[in-house]
Amino acid sequence: MLTALQIRKLTRGFNLFDLDQNGVMDRHDCEMVIQATTKAMGYAPGSPEYTAYHDEYMAGWNALVALGDSDGDQKLTLAENLVAYDKLMAQPEQFNALILGFVKTAI
């Protein structure tokens, strides 16, 4: 069960990553984050670094969708995102693999 602090932090993160502010996170939001981040890191589209970052980020997205997308639309509402993270945090090995994989790719 998520704590009040976790809910606040995850809600803030959701609002930051819902780039088009349409109330859902989807693949389009992820692609925009990837484009902005890889550009800032100096990774050219198609480069090995870009591809690794893209693949790791999208693996994280796909894991969240698998855990939280209750209606099968490949999008996450805030409520679905919270469910996904609640399930993910209940599985420390999966959580660590997902988060540490993403962090390793970003640095």
Side-chain angles (χ1 to χ4, degrees):
M1 187 62 126
L2 295 173
T3 67
L5 177 61
Q6 289 169 325
I7 292 170
R8 284 195 309 272
K9 288 182 173 280
L10 289 167
T11 299
R12 174 118 169 99
F14 178 89
N15 290 331
L16 287 172
F17 285 94
D18 175 17
L19 295 180
D20 55 13
Q21 297 296 294
N22 65 349
V24 296
M25 284 177 42
D26 57 21
R27 187 173 185 86
H28 179 70
D29 291 310
C30 293
E31 293 291 348
M32 288 192 299
V33 169
I34 291 166
Q35 288 174 5
T37 305
T38 55
K39 183 177 180 181
M41 296 170 112
Y43 298 165
S47 70
E49 296 87 0
Y50 180 96
T51 301
Y53 187 89
H54 181 276
D55 292 351
E56 196 67 46
Y57 195 98
M58 293 312 295
W61 168 251
N62 291 332
L64 288 176
V65 168
L67 291 169
D69 183 17
S70 62
D71 58 6
D73 65 357
Q74 300 299 299
K75 300 175 183 181
L76 294 178
T77 63
L78 174 58
E80 289 174 326
N81 191 58
L82 294 175
V83 167
Y85 270 98
D86 189 38
K87 290 178 182 177
L88 188 60
M89 288 186 204
Q91 304 171 35
E93 288 181 17
Q94 184 180 4
F95 179 83
N96 289 339
L98 186 66
I99 299 304
L100 291 178
F102 176 75
V103 171
K104 281 191 319 187
T105 303
I107 54 172

